[in-house]
Amino acid sequence: MSKIGFIGLGIMGRPMAGHLLDAGHELYTNDRGRELDQGLAEKGMQVVASPKAVAEQCEVVITMVPDTPDVESVLFGGDGVVEGLQPGTLVIDMSSIAPVPTQEFAKRIAEAGGEYVDAPVSGGEGGAINAALTIMVGATEEGFVRAQPILDVMGKTITHIGPQGAGQTCKVANQIIVALTIEAVSEGLLFASRAGADVAKVRESLLGGLASSKILEVHGERMINRTFDPGFRIRLHQKDLNLALESARAFNLSLPGTANAQQLFQACAANGGADWDHAGIVRALENLADHEIGK
């Protein structure tokens, strides 16, 4: 069993850390004073003063924070992980951040004597709770071999995509596909509802055909039942699509569907929906149509 630092105990991070504790690992964090952490404390998670102190205690450090600057701050800011890094420490970033800075972070961790792995996840809160996440890994061969037993505790599908940064590239691609599919499900169900069909039965029928998808199954149900508690917050999906669009500009690449989905997310945020589940994109389309699914 390993001594593992876990920094970032949010909607996703908390159940992920819980699985590691259940597997017998000894966990440390610097997250303090949050009601969300009480169950982890009861399982034995120990709290220390800073990311530096986490690294001083652990042979593996996992980060699961919102954005690129947050990862940089945790790793390289004042009292950051790098200041307490032990020789050979495995640093696994499971956040969803930009691929190019990820490569720079990997270089800086290697120079400090550690091994860096980027391992962003897909599967949402349900996947985290059920230890069924899809994990996209960017790492050296050695880094992947070291990380895989730990990732296996939290995920169901773990794929070594390529060198550091490749995991984040895969995650950006995932977020493009997810956003456009949520939009497509929203438009299809909105059309059916406005035409007067029983939208729940339309969804049931579509799940048996070529239009079937996990998003139609899960997020289509959210749209019909009006359950928009996250899940995965719109503001975080906005961040991921920003990464896609910024990279696309650098590649001289046009992603019109991604840009349109980002605008619909922005419309949700402008109407107080930044913290809705990303299935809430349907509400922007409903506002345009002056029609709500199911009514």
Side-chain angles (χ1 to χ4, degrees), residues 63 68 71-72 75-76 82 85 89-93 97-119 137-140 143 162-168:
T63 53
T68 309
V71 176
E72 184 170 23
L75 295 180
F76 307 111
V82 74
L85 202 68
T89 297
L90 182 64
V91 177
I92 306 175
D93 178 39
I97 67 170
V100 173
T102 290
Q103 294 169 346
E104 179 60 27
F105 297 164
K107 180 180 177 182
R108 293 171 69 180
I109 290 295
E111 289 171 348
E115 177 78 33
Y116 189 94
V117 171
D118 55 292
V137 184
T140 64
Q164 286 109 335
Q168 297 295 353

Side-chain angles (χ1 to χ4, degrees), residues 31-194:
D31 291 31
R32 289 176 171 272
R34 297 170 59 187
E35 183 179 349
L36 193 62
D37 301 347
Q38 293 309 304
L40 298 179
E42 291 171 3
K43 290 184 176 184
M45 176 170 269
Q46 300 180 55
V47 180
V48 295
S50 66
K52 174 185 176 182
V54 170
E56 287 173 340
Q57 294 288 336
C58 299
E59 59 210 76
V60 179
V61 177
I62 296 172
T63 53
M64 186 63 175
V65 294
D67 205 348
T68 309
D70 302 300
V71 176
E72 184 170 23
S73 176
V74 165
L75 295 180
F76 307 111
D79 285 330
V81 166
V82 74
E83 294 184 17
L85 202 68
Q86 306 301 305
T89 297
L90 182 64
V91 177
I92 306 175
D93 178 39
M94 304 189 76
S95 319
S96 295
I97 67 170
V100 173
T102 290
Q103 294 169 346
E104 179 60 27
F105 297 164
K107 180 180 177 182
R108 293 171 69 180
I109 290 295
E111 289 171 348
E115 177 78 33
Y116 189 94
V117 171
D118 55 292
V121 304
S122 179
E125 183 182 13
I129 290 170
N130 295 315
L133 293 168
T134 293
I135 306 178
M136 300 152 256
V137 184
T140 64
E141 289 292 341
E142 179 185 356
F144 179 69
V145 168
R146 290 181 63 193
Q148 187 169 11
I150 295 167
L151 300 178
D152 282 339
V153 175
M154 298 176 283
K156 184 177 181 181
T157 304
I158 294 93
T159 306
H160 186 193
I161 305 298
Q164 286 109 335
Q168 297 295 353
T169 296
C170 185
K171 179 59 188 289
V172 171
N174 178 83
Q175 295 303 81
I176 292 170
I177 293 167
V178 168
L180 270 63
T181 308
I182 293 175
E183 182 186 0
V185 169
S186 299
E187 290 191 15
L189 295 183
L190 181 61
F191 170 82
S193 177
R194 186 65 182 84

